[in-house]
Amino acid sequence: MTRILPPIGVASACVVALSAATPVVFTDVTESAGIRFTHTNGAFGAKYMPETFGSGALWLDVNADGWQDVLLVNGTSWPEQDATATHASLYLNDGDGTFTDVTDDSGLDIPLYGMGGTAADFDNDGHIDVYLTALGPNRLFKGIGDGTFVDVTEGAGVGDPGFSTGAVWFDYDKDGDLDLFVGNYVEWSPDTDLFCSLVDDTKSYCTPESYQGQSPTLFRNRGDQTFEDVTTAAGLRVPSAKALGVAMLDVDGDDWMDLFVTNDTQPDQLFRNQGDGTFEDIGVLAGVAFSDTGVARAGMGVDAVDYDGSGRPDLIIGNFSTEMMALYHNEGNGLFIDEAPRSEIGRATLLTLTFGCFFFDFDLDGWPDIFAANGHVADDVERVQSRVTYAQRPQLFHNLGQGRFEEIVVTDGSALDTPMVGRGAAYADADNDGDLDVLVTANNGAARLLRNDGGNANHVVRIRTVGAASNRDGIGARVEVTAGGDTRWQMVKTGSSYLSQSELALTFGLGDATSVTAVRVAWPSGQVDTIDALDADQVITIEEGTGLIDAAPIARRR
């Protein structure tokens, strides 16, 4: 059932009373945090297709000080406009609830029609690097470690010239170096733009069905800071694809990293890694390529997590309005079943258009919840669909266990009750108090930072991974935490959601358990490290082959 809360008379906070003991409050702290970012889509009346997309957001620690920084991807003006060019914005976390815009000195201030990005240490030098996707050549920025970057795109050979969207760093061949998968959308340029109309002869934004798709690209890391395009050799050349969201997962538990790709009006794809350098699309066989009615949906964002404790990764997918979100349960026999049509999630998302979406445990009870950022693509949609709006409120679904979710609805005019043309969404513990905060972008609008106040009433352990034989960030490592008689697991991953990336550190909600019985890390190299009993409410760092190398208490703010 949907839980609707009455107004509480607080304009800046969203209070959700899950129980008398664990109130959850999300507060819009964008202004007080000093984040002054407004996305530019370049719209000037021509109704160019890319204007509908918006852009993503990335959480990353650019100076390794233990505080998550913010990178907001931006579009820019079209050549025929007489306007100031814009670029991505980097905000450094000051550690006191505020952020400082350091873009001008970062090396990231290069104008491009940006879409999304992914961040990881691709050269294993201990510094985070950034790959930004764009309409036109993408950019790879090598991190120096002090919050500044150097553009190494040309030398690395990863300036994919297409209409690029979602991307992930992952080690598909398990050689210890991170490879790069880049989703691409359609063949479009201002010169090939088509006239489409919803009403009379007024131009509207065209659907992707009007344009030829573009194949994704797989770049293999040679280990010398250069890459080679292995798309065709890897079996990933799909010219009909129209990719948006990308998620990495080990779908069958064989320790080889697979990929899920959402496509817009084309079948979604589940690329199973065959362990020999090639992939096989098993989307149709697995039941995730089409809706239950056999229709290819307009997939936007995606995330993969074990939401019911089965030990296997499940999927959440943001789709177009009238299509509802997809909640695919991994049955463990090679098949997925979409539980959304029979659940609260399906009913609650029938009219929303969901872009950013992810699993996160917002109340630290040990069960992954769901956040969805919503907003339509047509600014005139209400002329033809009276029940669908352009700006839409975000949605929060509480995991009740046993595969059941309940939507938390507020009517207080606060952040979760405020419509926006939502696009990218990502989470991180921005204030290091143990619970997860949310960053949301808006198409041609202001980004919002929603601080989770009160979500740490339960206990927690946060885990950072440092690879040795595996890649430096431990991307692809499976981390298991046993506490209170239950074992929970997560994967260290990049990408996910819509054109965005959440923090690399893993947050395990422990409920009322005050200690951890064991932590087990299975690294991509095959190395397994086990840590014995720990107190809860700590952030710990585990190094491959060494084990626990750091532990610090979490300053829990209540």
Side-chain angles (χ1 to χ4, degrees), residues 3-245:
R3 180 178 303 168
I4 302 177
L5 302 181
I8 59 173
V10 179
S12 63
C14 161
V15 179
V16 181
L18 296 179
S19 72
T22 57
V24 175
V25 183
F26 280 90
T27 306
D28 187 339
V29 296
T30 313
E31 183 175 353
S32 62
I35 295 177
R36 307 280 189 268
F37 176 85
T38 299
H39 175 258
T40 298
N41 67 5
F44 66 105
K47 298 286 186 178
Y48 286 161
M49 171 187 273
E51 296 168 1
T52 66
F53 283 75
S55 61
L58 286 74
W59 288 102
L60 69 172
D61 186 357
V62 299
N63 55 2
D65 65 352
W67 293 87
Q68 289 294 310
D69 310 304
V70 169
L71 179 60
L72 291 157
V73 185
N74 209 348
T76 192
S77 303
W78 299 109
E80 55 263 53
Q81 293 178 266
D82 184 15
T84 302
T86 51
H87 46 69
S89 293
L90 178 64
Y91 287 88
L92 201 66
N93 193 329
D94 298 321
D96 60 0
T98 66
F99 292 76
T100 299
D101 187 341
V102 296
T103 312
D104 291 344
D105 299 319
S106 69
L108 298 172
D109 53 341
I110 297 177
L112 75 164
Y113 203 98
M115 300 298 295
T118 182
D121 181 3
F122 83 86
D123 54 355
N124 295 327
D125 67 351
H127 307 314
I128 200 78
D129 310 301
V130 172
Y131 186 78
L132 295 184
T133 63
L135 174 63
N138 303 330
R139 299 277 187 167
L140 174 59
F141 297 94
K142 175 177 165 58
I144 303 303
D146 58 358
T148 65
F149 296 82
V150 175
D151 187 343
V152 296
T153 311
E154 185 174 353
V158 291
D160 198 315
F163 185 167
S164 298
T165 51
V168 294
W169 291 105
F170 76 133
D171 185 1
Y172 82 95
D173 52 3
K174 297 203 289 190
D175 65 354
D177 296 311
L178 289 174
D179 310 299
L180 180 62
F181 178 87
V182 182
N184 291 307
Y185 194 60
V186 299
E187 297 287 346
W188 181 93
S189 72
D191 294 335
T192 61
D193 183 67
L194 301 175
F195 182 93
C196 299
S197 179
L198 283 176
V199 180
D200 302 325
D201 59 352
T202 302
K203 186 177 182 183
S204 297
Y205 292 109
C206 294
T207 73
E209 294 166 303
S210 304
Y211 296 94
Q212 171 62 42
Q214 285 188 340
S215 176
T217 307
L218 177 63
F219 293 105
R220 188 182 72 83
N221 190 336
R222 294 190 179 103
D224 59 1
Q225 300 193 36
T226 69
F227 294 76
E228 65 173 319
D229 184 338
V230 295
T231 311
T232 300
L236 294 173
R237 183 71 60 188
V238 187
S240 61
K242 299 176 182 180
L244 288 176

Side-chain angles (χ1 to χ4, degrees), residues 394-419:
Q395 290 173 293
L396 182 66
F397 295 92
H398 185 223
N399 190 334
L400 303 177
Q402 298 181 331
R404 297 181 300 122
F405 289 85
E406 173 186 64
E407 185 183 15
I408 303 299
V409 178
V410 296
T411 57
D412 59 9
S414 61
L416 294 185
D417 188 37
T418 302

